[in-house]
């Protein structure tokens, strides 16, 4: 069994349908089959199973703008994307929850994505998210620019642009920050577990019968 995922471009209808189902299961957002068929769809494959993926779109009717900008602000956002023909969009990014906390798999996915974007994207990359955690990660690197912040269906949304030429260095920054966060999470979990075990030991000590104290008393009497 492989320990790390590989990346694959999906073309077969069955594979696209599996991607569509998995993306909806993770993001709770529907993606039309026509959109998948008309753009490049990549999946991360681990032991024959899709464990993540994304779409690299070249259609100038950007799904990113449609989903992450409110209707009354889409024209304004579109006006900031000068020369749309120079843009690709990173869309429908997902990772199976089972593998999000598996450090090596998670980091491998981000690294493979950076190489793929570097090779296949146009000059500029457009991407968005409704995850505050991802938005914070994207904002933490100097290589991406937040061009729009909005609220859609009561969720905060964010739209970014970046240069293709810095995809690898930008995502490497994100990977390093993710590693730091994962290490801190595991460290905090370990500390919390040790504190919990200590509490259990203290409670157990309080409930131990007074056999030893009684025994010491009788030993003193004998002396």
């Amino acid at each position: 069994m492989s320990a790390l995922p590989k990346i694959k471009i999906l073309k077969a209808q069955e594979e696209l349908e599996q991607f569509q189902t998995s993306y909806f299961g993770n993001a709770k957002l529907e993606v039309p089959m026509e959109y998948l068929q008309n753009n490049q769809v990549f999946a991360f494959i681990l032991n024959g199973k899709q464990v993540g993926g994304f779409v690299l779109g070249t259609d100038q009717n950007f799904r990113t703008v449609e989903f992450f900008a409110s209707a009354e602000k889409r024209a304004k956002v579109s006006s900031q994307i000068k020369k749309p023909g120079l843009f690709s969009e990173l869309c429908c990014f997902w990772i199976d929850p089972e593998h999000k906390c598996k450090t090596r798999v998670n980091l491998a996915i981000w690294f493979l994505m950076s190489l793929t974007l570097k090779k296949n994207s146009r000059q500029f990359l457009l991407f968005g998210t409704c995850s505050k955690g991802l938005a914070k990660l994207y904002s933490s690197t100097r290589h991406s620019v937040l061009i729009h912040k909005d609220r859609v269906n009561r969720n905060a949304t964010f739209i970014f642009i970046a240069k293709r030429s810095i995809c690898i260095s930008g995502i490497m920054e994100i990977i390093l920050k993710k590693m730091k966060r994962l290490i801190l999470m595991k460290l905090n979990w370990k500390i919390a577990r040790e504190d919990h075990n200590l509490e259990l030991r203290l409670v157990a000590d309080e409930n131990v019968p007074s056999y030893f104290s009684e025994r010491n008393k009788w030993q003193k009497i004998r002396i």
Side-chain angles (χ1 to χ4, degrees):
M1 294 177 66
S2 176
L4 295 175
K6 297 180 179 180
I7 194 164
K8 178 183 179 182
I9 186 167
L10 306 182
K11 295 182 178 179
Q13 183 67 23
E14 183 180 350
E15 293 175 328
L16 294 175
E17 289 175 355
Q18 184 181 348
F19 180 98
Q20 184 185 45
T21 301
S22 297
Y23 177 69
F24 179 78
N26 284 273
K28 307 305 178 188
L29 294 173
E30 294 184 358
V31 53
M33 180 55 64
E34 183 181 2
Y35 179 80
L36 299 179
Q37 292 170 336
N38 292 335
N39 293 284
Q40 291 181 298
V41 182
F42 297 89
F44 303 105
I45 308 296
L46 182 62
N47 299 319
K49 177 185 175 183
Q50 291 186 26
V51 296
F54 64 94
V55 177
L56 188 59
T58 54
D59 190 336
Q60 294 183 23
N61 295 319
F62 296 117
R63 176 181 168 90
T64 299
V65 176
E66 178 184 349
F67 268 81
F68 300 119
S70 52
E72 63 274 14
K73 295 180 181 178
R74 287 173 191 162
K76 179 182 178 181
V77 176
S78 296
S79 69
Q80 297 182 68
I81 306 171
K82 311 206 185 281
K83 298 182 179 180
L86 298 179
F87 281 81
S88 296
E89 68 171 344
L90 169 62
C91 203
C92 304
F93 177 44
W94 65 278
I95 301 176
D96 190 321
E98 181 184 347
H99 295 87
K100 278 186 177 179
C101 293
K102 293 182 179 179
T103 307
R104 289 195 300 172
V105 174
N106 192 292
L107 299 181
I109 284 175
W110 281 86
F111 183 68
L112 287 171
M113 183 169 68
S114 72
L115 295 178
T116 304
L117 294 176
K118 174 76 172 178
K119 181 180 179 180
N120 296 279
S121 175
R122 291 175 175 171
Q123 187 174 348
F124 297 97
L125 192 64
L126 177 73
F127 52 101
T129 183
C130 57
S131 164
K132 291 184 179 180
L134 275 179
K136 188 175 180 180
L137 270 178
Y138 295 153
S139 299
S140 66
T141 169
R142 64 187 184 280
H143 298 304
S144 60
V145 179
L146 177 66
I147 64 168
H148 183 69
K149 183 178 178 180
D150 208 335
R151 184 164 288 275
V152 178
N153 296 328
R154 299 181 180 179
N155 293 318
T157 59
F158 310 84
I159 298 177
F160 297 84
I161 58 172
K163 290 183 179 180
R164 179 194 62 187
S165 59
I166 50 79
C167 278
I168 293 179
S169 56
I171 289 183
M172 285 304 295
E173 274 192 44
I174 290 174
I175 287 174
L176 290 173
K177 292 180 184 296
K178 284 180 69 65
M179 285 180 65
K180 182 179 178 181
R181 190 170 70 174
L182 286 170
I183 290 170
L184 287 174
M185 285 175 60
K186 288 186 176 182
L187 183 61
N188 290 335
W189 178 81
K190 183 178 180 181
I191 292 172
R193 184 178 180 183
E194 289 176 351
D195 287 346
H196 178 67
N197 290 339
L198 178 60
E199 289 176 4
L200 290 178
R201 288 198 298 270
L202 290 173
V203 170
D205 289 343
E206 290 175 358
N207 294 326
V208 170
S210 57
Y211 167 76
F212 293 103
S213 59
E214 291 293 326
R215 182 184 177 192
N216 290 337
K217 182 178 71 173
W218 284 109
Q219 284 178 339
K220 289 179 182 179
I221 291 174
R222 291 194 188 98
I223 293 171

